[in-house]
Amino acid sequence: MSNQYSTQAASNTGSFNNDNRGRHRNYEKILEDRRELFEEAEQRPRDSTSLQIDEPEFMQRTNYALDDFLLQGQASLTNLREQRNMLKSARGRALNSASTLGVSKNLIQFIERRSTQDWYLFFAVVILTCILVFLLCTSNS
């Protein structure tokens, strides 16, 4: 029985040594890669003017990208304003046609109130759904 334990201990020591050798090889590989990178960096010319030339180009490209983002945002805002105006005029025409058809003002107000309540209900359900999804995601993690 003691022979079995000594054989097992010897095999564990061997696997421990193999693990250390593998780690040592990995460490040597990392050091070699690092030396190669530093040698390449030292061989490249360190010209400060090349960095100064690249900086204005980078700033100009960034400036153009920001201008594009601002233009897209402005176009989206203009589009939303146009849609709001279109919906306001459609609502006004619908109210005019409803009053022309003889629908009472009280019924129109009731419909508008119900529409507002439906919006509140919709947002409450959306928020509740988001909370439930969050709770489900955090409970699984």
Side-chain angles (χ1 to χ4, degrees), residues 7-23 25:
T7 307
Q8 193 175 24
S11 68
N12 286 343
T13 306
S15 67
F16 179 74
N17 288 335
N18 287 337
D19 288 343
N20 281 341
R21 285 185 206 128
R23 288 182 187 151
R25 279 189 223 116

Side-chain angles (χ1 to χ4, degrees), residues 14-80:
S15 67
F16 179 74
N17 288 335
N18 287 337
D19 288 343
N20 281 341
R21 285 185 206 128
R23 288 182 187 151
H24 185 68
R25 279 189 223 116
N26 287 340
Y27 182 71
E28 287 177 353
K29 176 72 173 146
I30 290 170
L31 287 177
E32 182 181 332
D33 291 343
R34 187 179 291 171
R35 274 187 234 116
E36 288 176 9
L37 286 172
F38 282 121
E39 286 173 4
E40 288 176 9
E42 289 174 1
Q43 291 173 358
R44 281 187 240 135
R46 292 188 178 195
D47 187 10
S48 63
T49 58
S50 65
L51 295 175
Q52 291 172 356
I53 291 172
D54 290 344
E55 187 176 341
E57 289 177 23
F58 175 75
M59 295 299 286
Q60 189 175 18
R61 283 182 297 189
T62 305
N63 192 17
Y64 287 144
L66 289 174
D67 287 343
D68 287 341
F69 288 143
L70 288 174
L71 288 174
Q72 288 175 357
Q74 196 173 29
S76 297
L77 185 60
T78 303
N79 190 4
L80 288 172

Side-chain angles (χ1 to χ4, degrees), residues 102-116:
V103 178
S104 71
K105 196 171 193 173
N106 289 336
L107 181 61
I108 293 172
Q109 288 175 351
F110 175 76
I111 292 171
E112 287 177 347
R113 199 172 332 124
R114 181 64 190 255
S115 174
T116 305

Side-chain angles (χ1 to χ4, degrees), residues 76-122:
S76 297
L77 185 60
T78 303
N79 190 4
L80 288 172
R81 285 180 182 153
E82 290 173 359
Q83 289 178 9
R84 182 189 64 185
N85 291 335
M86 194 181 320
L87 288 172
K88 275 185 175 181
S89 66
R91 180 176 177 261
R93 280 184 263 138
L95 289 175
N96 279 341
S97 63
S99 64
T100 304
L101 292 172
V103 178
S104 71
K105 196 171 193 173
N106 289 336
L107 181 61
I108 293 172
Q109 288 175 351
F110 175 76
I111 292 171
E112 287 177 347
R113 199 172 332 124
R114 181 64 190 255
S115 174
T116 305
Q117 291 172 353
D118 288 347
W119 270 107
Y120 290 142
L121 181 65
F122 170 75

